[in-house]
Amino acid sequence: MNRLSPKKLLNSKWTAAQPQNKEKHFIITDVETNESGEVLFCTMEAVMSKREFNVNWQDLKNSMVWHQGWK
């Protein structure tokens, strides 16, 4: 399990454990929060293709899917 602080999500780097569409490396480009400051979701961008998608920030804790940093 990845240790993760919601305050340090923005601009953090991630590697997909099982790359799809030749996309392996990602960066968090936006973090959406509610009025009380709780993180709702993050926007990830593939480094090579620039494709963006939303991901639940809690899913990033699963080390079977995501690795913190670029490997």
Side-chain angles (χ1 to χ4, degrees):
M1 179 175 271
N2 294 318
R3 299 179 83 193
L4 188 60
S5 169
K7 294 179 182 180
K8 295 185 179 183
L9 281 173
L10 189 61
N11 296 321
S12 62
K13 298 171 183 167
W14 295 87
T15 300
Q18 299 294 323
Q20 296 178 8
N21 301 325
K22 298 182 181 179
E23 296 174 331
K24 182 176 181 178
H25 297 112
F26 299 86
I27 188 164
I28 303 285
T29 57
D30 189 28
V31 177
E32 292 294 324
T33 58
N34 62 14
E35 296 82 26
S36 61
E38 296 174 3
V39 176
L40 301 174
F41 64 89
C42 301
T43 302
M44 290 188 100
E45 180 181 298
V47 174
M48 294 297 286
S49 67
K50 303 296 184 198
R51 181 179 67 89
E52 290 187 338
F53 60 95
N54 292 330
V55 64
N56 182 338
W57 79 275
Q58 296 287 347
D59 293 343
L60 297 172
K61 292 182 178 182
N62 186 350
S63 60
M64 298 296 287
V65 180
W66 295 105
H67 300 288
Q68 203 165 11
W70 289 344
K71 302 188 187 280

